[in-house]
Amino acid sequence: MAALTSTCVLCQYRMSLQTLRPLPTQPWQQVRGMSQMQQRRRLPSRIALSPDVARNNSPRDSSPRSRNSPFGGTNMREVPDSIHAEKAERERRSRLKSVRASRHSPFAAMNRRTAPESSQVRRPSQAQLKRTTGGRDGGKEAADTRQEGFKALKMQRSLAEISYRARGDTKERIAGIEAFDEFDLLPSVKEAVAIQALAGLEEVAPTPIQSLTIPALLGQDLGGGRRRKRAIETEQKGFEQFLMAAETGSGKTLAYLLPVLDAIKRAEVADPDIAAYEATKVATRTPTSSWSSGVADLPRSNAPHPTSARPRAIVLLPTSELVTQVGLLAKRLSFTVKFRSTMISSAYSGVVIRNRLFNPSGLDLLVSTPHLLNSIAESDPNILSRVTHLIVDEADSLLDRSFGPTTTAIIDRATPSLEKLVLCSATIPRFLDTYLRKRYPDMTRLVTPNLHAIPRRVQLGVVDIEKQPYSGNKSLACADTIWSIGKAAAEHTISHTPSSSSSFSSSSSSSSSSSSSSPSSSSVSSETSEKLEVKRILVFVNEREKAQEVATYLVTKGIDAMALSRDTPERQQSEILEMFTSTKEITAPNPTFAPTSPSSQHTSSSLSSSSSSSPFSTPFIPNYRPANSTPTPPKRKLPNTKVLVTTDLTSRGIDTVAVRHVILYDVPNSSIDFIHRLGRTGRMGRRGRGIVLVGKKDRKDVVKEVREGMFMGKALI
């Protein structure tokens, strides 16, 4: 009791509360219970994760986690190896880029002990090898085609590159061909070459493009100068494709016409339809006994020929002028070879075109323009059902954006019966080279060694119109140049006797007077002094509106000039071209005057003779002038020249053999135009001269490089 009284009241109260629940029997248990009660009362200060959270016991996590999902990179403790590889690749590219940039700095080559690997000569790629015309094996020397001397022309590079190795191989291959007799042509075709095509020539030898094309189209190999037949497969897949490219005036038309005519005649003999038609024609003839004597047998059958409106060969040309030129050549050859040919273009009416196509006697060779032929083929598809040879002349024009879809449609329509497709061109532009390599990868290319090179026999002169006395007047410079040509031509008169010749200078008159004792010499002298040779000159402009303007100006300067463009009527175009494509010499009366140039007009007297007996004392009337305009008679006149001011309409394909002078009033826009315009002179081995009028706004560096390339015999780019 005493023990209970010694306890304080507060302790007694606590002890009374403990009696309500069982207390631990041992003292250490009491201490443990109190500590656990305090831990249960204390709230945790933070949330701690269990160490088992990072343990991966789920079977679906055994596969690698995909990084393409939105949460692909979460809960990863290590960086994947792919990220390390990408980072290393980015660092390597960054270092390489900085090194390349440092090479172009002013001090890039300092403190170097060895040459970098990039400075070594790299081999040409496969694409560069395919762009060469030497084929898959002949294009190994593509790097040699770089023209180190051309800088300005590289900025407007428009022509496909041709390796010098391919040019050299071609020259060796055709070196042994000297006559048409080496070709496997029919005797009638060989006879037509000497009698009709090249009549009047003493030595008839094939040109380089003819030596390449004729054997290739005939399937003949003339390697080493000896004739060997090449084995031709009887079953061919598709048709053969050929690209023949040669410089202007090299005889490309005759190169593809001769093999085509040979194939037409051989197919005519083997055609059963023609044999049956001829047999029926002979069997149905009316006997001559029922008619009077001397009248031939008349057929009673009205059946048309099997080849009526179904030709075997077609030649496509861009203009009606070229259609007329090629059609006339084919007509001349038909006199000896005996085949039927016709030409159609926009220059003929619909009735004439229909009568020519549906001629009852048949049709073997058709010369036409693409648009006209395509419109006929849409209404009558059978016109292309028997075509075995399709020639696309001036292929660089017929396969461009304007003619390309129409020409391609004709080729597709003729494909079922087509055996040979021949593309012909004087240049191979880069767009044409790319197009042919994609569409016809197996095409055989027949390229001459001098392709894209203007012949060295053509001299190129430059006239600076900014100098005196022109002072920027290009028309005055053109007129003065023509007067200079006429003055030089007046010094050489033409005689009716080939062996006689005289000069227009005063020395000739004195020599003729001293030899007046000889009647024959005096007659020749008087005869030669009455005629002058007329020089035919072409003037090229870039715009057709400028053609009429320049022609009118030249007429006012006493020059017989005319304009030719798309605005000129078709009939007048034929008359004008006939004058400049004819090989016949044109003469004019020889007045006694001393020609002077327009630049010195203020110091010279009148060129015309004041005598009434002079043939040029009457007012000068040009043969061409604008409508509703009365020309003012010029004070001076130049009778021994005829000038044609034209555009690119006559720069392609027109055979202007008689033209010796070409004036480029405007600087051509590309090297392709240079080749075609200057190609109107110096044709068929003749000499020619070109003159360029250069002004302040013209590219003098381009003209300089073209002139240097012509002098060195280089191919333009």
Side-chain angles (χ1 to χ4, degrees):
M1 192 69 181
L4 295 173
T5 57
S6 62
T7 305
C8 65
V9 179
L10 181 59
C11 292
Q12 291 179 0
Y13 175 72
R14 291 178 176 176
M15 292 176 64
S16 62
L17 293 177
Q18 291 179 358
T19 57
L20 297 177
R21 53 190 177 189
L23 297 175
T25 57
Q26 299 296 334
W28 60 272
Q29 293 180 347
Q30 295 181 3
V31 176
R32 180 180 179 183
M34 293 297 294
S35 63
Q36 291 179 353
M37 290 177 63
Q38 292 179 0
Q39 289 180 358
R40 284 194 295 268
R41 293 193 190 106
R42 187 183 304 120
L43 296 176
S45 61
R46 61 185 180 85
I47 299 176
L49 297 178
S50 172
D52 298 334
V53 172
R55 184 177 301 174
N56 188 5
N57 297 326
S58 177
R60 77 182 172 184
D61 293 340
S62 59
S63 61
R65 186 187 299 272
S66 175
R67 294 182 56 199
N68 297 328
S69 62
F71 305 99
T74 58
N75 297 333
M76 284 189 176
R77 293 183 298 175
E78 296 181 359
V79 180
D81 297 338
S82 59
I83 297 180
H84 285 294
E86 292 178 1
K87 182 179 179 181
E89 180 66 18
R90 286 196 301 268
E91 293 178 353
R92 188 188 68 82
R93 292 180 180 179
S94 178
R95 290 194 304 268
L96 182 61
K97 185 177 181 180
S98 60
V99 169
R100 290 177 178 176
S102 63
R103 293 174 184 172
H104 300 283
S105 61
F107 308 100
M110 295 182 62
N111 298 330
R112 284 189 177 181
R113 310 172 80 179
T114 58
E117 296 181 358
S118 60
S119 63
Q120 304 296 330
V121 179
R122 297 181 179 179
R123 295 182 178 180
S125 62
Q126 294 295 331
Q128 293 176 346
L129 295 178
K130 291 181 179 180
R131 281 195 292 268
T132 60
T133 58
R136 298 178 180 176
D137 297 332
K140 296 181 180 180
E141 303 295 335
D144 296 341
T145 60
R146 299 178 180 177
Q147 301 289 349
E148 299 297 339
F150 294 146
K151 295 182 179 179
L153 289 178
K154 287 184 178 179
M155 301 177 62
Q156 53 181 6
R157 185 188 299 268
S158 55
L159 294 172
E161 294 181 352
I162 302 173
S163 64
Y164 282 102
R165 178 178 179 180
R167 296 175 187 265
D169 295 343
T170 303
K171 187 178 297 185
E172 294 178 0
R173 189 164 66 252
I174 64 177
I177 304 176
E178 299 179 355
F180 284 94
D181 294 335
E182 301 184 29
F183 303 138
D184 192 11
L185 295 170
L186 293 175
S188 59
V189 178
K190 296 179 181 179
E191 184 181 358
V193 174
I195 298 177
Q196 304 296 340
L198 303 177
L201 298 181
E202 297 179 358
E203 297 181 1
V204 179
T207 60
I209 188 60
Q210 294 170 358
S211 302
L212 285 173
T213 305
I214 295 177
L217 296 183
L218 293 176
Q220 180 184 3
D221 189 6
L222 297 179
R226 299 180 349 188
R227 186 169 68 182
R228 296 192 304 267
K229 273 293 192 63
R230 186 180 62 181
I232 305 175
E233 298 180 358
T234 56
E235 296 181 359
Q236 297 179 352
K237 297 181 179 180
F239 54 89
E240 296 182 87
Q241 310 104 25
F242 297 91
L243 172 63
M244 47 177 297
E247 57 275 10
T248 57
S250 58
K252 294 185 292 294
T253 305
L254 196 63
Y256 63 73
L257 274 183
L258 296 182
V260 168
L261 298 183
D262 183 87
I264 289 175
K265 297 301 293 183
R266 294 180 187 272
E268 183 179 349
V269 176
D271 194 344
D273 296 337
I274 297 180
Y277 173 81
E278 294 294 338
T280 305
K281 184 177 179 181
V282 173
T284 57
R285 282 186 181 274
T286 304
T288 56
S289 59
S290 61
W291 296 83
S292 60
S293 60
V295 180
D297 296 344
L298 299 178
R300 291 181 294 178
S301 176
N302 294 326
H305 198 274
T307 61
S308 179
R310 299 170 67 189
R312 293 185 181 275
I314 293 179
V315 180
L316 296 179
L317 294 158
T319 62
S320 58
E321 294 82 11
L322 290 176
V323 168
T324 303
Q325 177 177 299
V326 177
L328 292 177
L329 176 59
K331 186 68 67 176
R332 292 200 306 267
L333 294 174
S334 66
F335 296 151
T336 306
V337 184
K338 304 303 179 184
F339 67 95
R340 292 166 293 273
S341 66
T342 188
M343 49 186 173
I344 58 175
S345 64
S346 59
Y348 305 100
S349 62
V351 177
V352 174
I353 293 174
R354 183 186 59 188
N355 294 338
R356 290 184 176 182
L357 287 178
F358 296 92
N359 189 355
S361 61
L363 178 61
D364 296 324
L365 176 64
L366 175 63
V367 184
S368 174
T369 54
H371 289 93
L372 178 59
L373 182 60
N374 187 49
S375 62
I376 297 174
E378 290 178 354
S379 59
D380 187 9
N382 291 331
I383 193 174
L384 302 175
S385 60
R386 292 170 59 95
V387 175
T388 58
H389 291 72
L390 180 60
I391 293 90
V392 181
D393 204 344
E394 302 295 336
D396 53 345
S397 297
L398 293 186
L399 293 177
D400 60 3
R401 291 180 295 179
S402 58
F403 288 94
T406 306
T407 306
T408 305
I410 295 175
I411 297 175
D412 295 339
R413 290 177 184 269
T415 298
S417 61
L418 195 61
E419 296 180 2
K420 287 183 175 61
L421 173 65
V422 182
L423 306 182
C424 178
S425 178
T427 56
I428 305 179
R430 300 182 66 182
F431 80 89
L432 178 63
D433 181 68
T434 304
Y435 172 80
L436 295 180
R437 293 192 182 279
K438 291 181 179 179
R439 185 175 175 87
Y440 307 110
D442 298 329
M443 173 172 283
T444 302
R445 302 203 172 197
L446 308 172
V447 181
T448 56
N450 295 328
L451 183 67
H452 298 163
I454 303 175
R456 298 183 64 180
R457 60 180 178 270
V458 178
Q459 299 179 356
L460 184 62
V462 180
V463 176
D464 191 355
I465 66 172
E466 300 300 331
K467 297 181 179 180
Q468 295 296 331
Y470 311 123
S471 301
N473 191 341
K474 186 175 289 188
S475 299
L476 179 62
C478 181
D480 187 67
T481 303
I482 297 173
W483 272 90
S484 301
I485 297 173
K487 180 180 178 180
E491 297 177 355
H492 303 279
T493 58
I494 299 178
S495 175
H496 295 288
T497 305
S499 60
S500 61
S501 62
S502 61
S503 175
F504 190 74
S505 59
S506 59
S507 60
S508 64
S509 59
S510 61
S511 62
S512 62
S513 61
S514 62
S515 61
S516 60
S517 59
S518 176
S520 60
S521 62
S522 61
S523 62
V524 170
S525 177
S526 61
E527 191 177 42
T528 56
S529 61
E530 293 179 358
K531 299 294 181 180
L532 283 178
E533 179 185 3
V534 175
K535 293 291 184 180
R536 284 165 277 196
I537 305 172
L538 290 180
V539 179
F540 284 100
V541 295
N542 291 341
E543 301 176 357
R544 61 181 180 179
E545 294 82 3
K546 196 70 175 179
Q548 182 58 58
E549 178 184 343
V550 175
T552 304
Y553 179 85
L554 296 178
V555 168
T556 60
K557 295 299 181 181
I559 300 172
D560 188 3
M562 57 197 77
L564 179 62
S565 63
R566 284 296 178 191
D567 300 332
T568 308
E570 292 286 345
R571 181 174 299 179
Q572 190 174 1
Q573 289 183 11
S574 302
E575 296 176 357
I576 294 174
L577 288 177
E578 177 66 23
M579 185 182 305
F580 286 85
T581 56
S582 176
T583 57
K584 297 180 180 179
E585 291 184 350
I586 303 177
T587 58
N590 183 11
T592 56
F593 68 95
T596 56
S597 62
S599 61
S600 58
Q601 182 178 359
H602 60 279
T603 59
S604 63
S605 59
S606 176
L607 294 175
S608 62
S609 177
S610 59
S611 175
S612 59
S613 62
S614 173
F616 296 97
S617 59
T618 57
F620 176 79
I621 301 177
N623 59 355
Y624 178 81
R625 62 176 181 270
N628 301 327
S629 62
T630 303
T632 302
K635 297 180 180 180
R636 302 173 305 140
K637 42 193 171 293
L638 188 62
N640 61 335
T641 57
K642 287 188 178 296
V643 180
L644 178 61
V645 185
T646 180
T647 58
D648 284 334
L649 175 67
T650 58
S651 66
R652 294 175 179 265
I654 302 297
D655 190 13
T656 54
V657 180
V659 175
R660 297 295 181 89
H661 297 81
V662 171
I663 299 177
L664 304 182
Y665 186 90
D666 296 324
V667 177
N669 298 322
S670 64
S671 56
I672 299 177
D673 295 334
F674 262 109
I675 293 174
H676 284 285
R677 294 183 183 183
L678 293 177
R680 297 312 98 198
T681 183
R683 302 175 67 85
M684 297 299 293
R686 293 176 172 85
R687 293 184 178 272
R689 184 183 180 188
I691 301 173
V692 188
L693 306 182
V694 180
K696 183 185 299 183
K697 299 181 181 180
D698 296 326
R699 293 289 304 272
K700 297 183 180 180
D701 52 349
V702 173
V703 177
K704 180 181 178 182
E705 291 185 0
V706 170
R707 188 179 183 184
E708 293 177 354
M710 291 174 59
F711 178 76
M712 300 180 65
K714 288 185 177 180
L716 302 183
I717 60 177

